[in-house]
Amino acid sequence: MVNQALSNLSDMAFATSVVVYIFAMLLYFAEFASGKATETAERGAAEPARATVGVGGVATQEPPARPTVGRLEPEPRKPWSERFGGMAVAVTVLGVLVHAFSLVTRGMAVGRVPWGNMYEFGSAICLVAVIAWLVVLYRQSRSIRKPTTAPKLRGLGGFVLLPATLLLFLSGTALYATASQLQPALRSYWIWIHVSAAIVSTGVLMFAGVASVLFLVRLRSENDPARPGGIGSRLPSSQVLDRFAYRATVLIMPVWTFAIIAGAMWAEAAWGRFWGWDPKETCSLIAWIVYAAYLHARATSGWRGTRAAWINILGLAVMIFNLFFINIVISGLHSYAGL
């Protein structure tokens, strides 16, 4: 039985979350576009205090301005760039709540886990990717010492929401499936274990891949100082972006490994064998090897930086190929797209 009212509510919440994410993305890009003001503020903060020439030609420091006693000075208004950034984060949190609500109501409408087809699977991946970004932003914001660094960090949000919004759009249009019960082959407790681990892994690796792409953009800007003011100059340093990509991959690699192992155990329970070189199994193993190569390259002298970043991007490309081409085009035992 399908609760049509909850199903319609879930679809409305899904569409609303996409609109909210797009609005948040525009706010992020509005703050990112004001990156020149941020760099000017950083240079101004780094300049030493002005010196004045006193009697006899001796340089003296200007004394700090004394506060006026008995009168409260109004706090300076935040520039529009910081307002855009703050609003973007708040709108992103709202989008996450509405997005999660759409998945919960979809599961309640059919009485099962809300990742039984490509539409639901893609939606869940995007939710994890956006949550991963918010967690990184929260952790980094607490450790930031220079206030002028915060806008550059928040500016990454637009680049994270861009692929997430595109995938949500595809999920809600070309990959959309009406609420229905699971196919018989998926009615197992392993769907809670194996598929949930795959969703979390794919979402976090999406964030890591975006960080590697931005790392290459920022590194090119750092290596070409003759072209100031470009997109790369407004991003965090290449070291920060490289650290984001590496830590996210290191953190999620055990989860991705567990997802493959759990899938093999489910295959043994369903088909009587742990591994059969099904296209989905093969592509998942290739992705695991690529990410293992990335971690090895990242820790190897001579391979850090550009080479390691390209390997990480290759891993994301394999994951995207596995998500779309393998599930939709190639026929196999994992053909559960619901299209």
Side-chain angles (χ1 to χ4, degrees):
M1 297 293 294
V2 177
N3 189 322
Q4 197 60 43
L6 286 176
S7 177
N8 294 336
L9 183 61
S10 173
D11 292 344
M12 291 177 58
F14 177 85
T16 303
S17 68
V18 174
V19 174
V20 173
Y21 283 148
I22 292 175
F23 182 50
M25 180 176 61
L26 294 177
L27 290 173
Y28 280 124
F29 284 141
E31 182 185 30
F32 183 79
S34 62
K36 286 186 178 181
T38 300
E39 293 179 353
T40 304
E42 287 182 344
R43 290 193 299 268
E47 292 180 354
R50 294 183 178 179
T52 58
V53 180
V55 180
V58 180
T60 59
Q61 293 285 89
E62 288 186 353
R66 296 182 179 179
T68 305
V69 180
R71 186 177 66 182
L72 296 177
E73 294 292 337
E75 295 184 1
R77 299 183 64 181
K78 292 183 178 180
W80 277 105
S81 59
E82 293 190 22
R83 299 184 195 179
F84 286 142
M87 288 188 294
V89 176
V91 173
T92 304
V93 173
L94 175 62
V96 165
L97 295 177
V98 177
H99 192 174
F101 179 76
S102 71
L103 284 173
V104 171
T105 50
R106 168 60 79 113
M108 294 174 60
V110 290
R112 58 167 176 81
V113 292
W115 48 75
N117 49 58
M118 281 286 290
Y119 160 68
E120 298 167 357
F121 188 76
S123 178
I125 288 174
C126 294
L127 179 63
V128 172
V130 178
I131 291 177
W133 153 244
L134 289 176
V135 171
V136 170
L137 179 63
Y138 173 75
R139 290 178 60 86
Q140 291 297 316
S141 298
R142 295 188 62 184
S143 61
I144 285 178
R145 295 181 180 180
K146 294 194 300 182
T148 52
T149 308
K152 284 191 173 185
L153 186 62
R154 284 196 303 262
L156 299 180
F159 298 99
V160 175
L161 287 181
L162 179 59
T165 304
L166 290 176
L167 179 54
L168 283 174
F169 178 78
L170 288 175
S171 299
T173 53
L175 304 179
Y176 178 78
T178 58
S180 60
Q181 296 299 324
L182 290 172
Q183 298 184 29
L186 296 178
R187 295 173 186 174
S188 170
Y189 63 89
W190 282 108
I191 196 173
W192 288 89
I193 304 171
H194 166 61
V195 182
S196 61
I199 288 171
V200 174
S201 302
T202 307
V204 176
L205 290 173
M206 178 190 295
F207 168 76
V210 171
S212 287
V213 172
L214 296 178
F215 163 79
L216 294 176
V217 175
R218 176 58 174 170
L219 189 63
R220 182 179 180 183
S221 175
E222 292 176 351
N223 294 334
D224 189 10
R227 299 174 59 186
I231 294 178
S233 63
R234 302 176 185 180
L235 294 169
S237 66
S238 59
Q239 292 85 355
V240 171
L241 294 169
D242 183 49
R243 186 169 63 248
F244 283 169
Y246 177 68
R247 290 183 177 179
T249 308
V250 167
L251 176 67
I252 210 61
M253 192 63 175
V255 182
W256 179 237
T257 304
F258 172 77
I260 295 177
I261 295 174
M265 298 175 68
W266 190 2
E268 196 279 333
W271 304 317
R273 49 76 172 165
F274 286 99
W275 197 268
W277 298 106
D278 182 77
K280 189 76 171 181
E281 298 171 348
T282 305
C283 199
S284 298
L285 178 61
I286 293 174
W288 187 93
I289 293 174
V290 172
Y291 280 112
Y294 164 70
L295 296 180
H296 178 72
R298 180 59 172 69
T300 302
S301 177
W303 280 84
R304 295 181 182 179
T306 303
R307 294 181 178 179
W310 277 113
I311 296 175
N312 193 25
I313 295 172
L314 175 62
L316 179 61
V318 174
M319 296 290 283
I320 295 174
F321 179 83
N322 194 13
L323 177 63
F324 290 102
F325 192 83
I326 297 296
N327 282 332
I328 299 175
V329 179
I330 297 179
S331 178
L333 295 175
H334 290 79
S335 301
Y336 305 128
L339 300 177

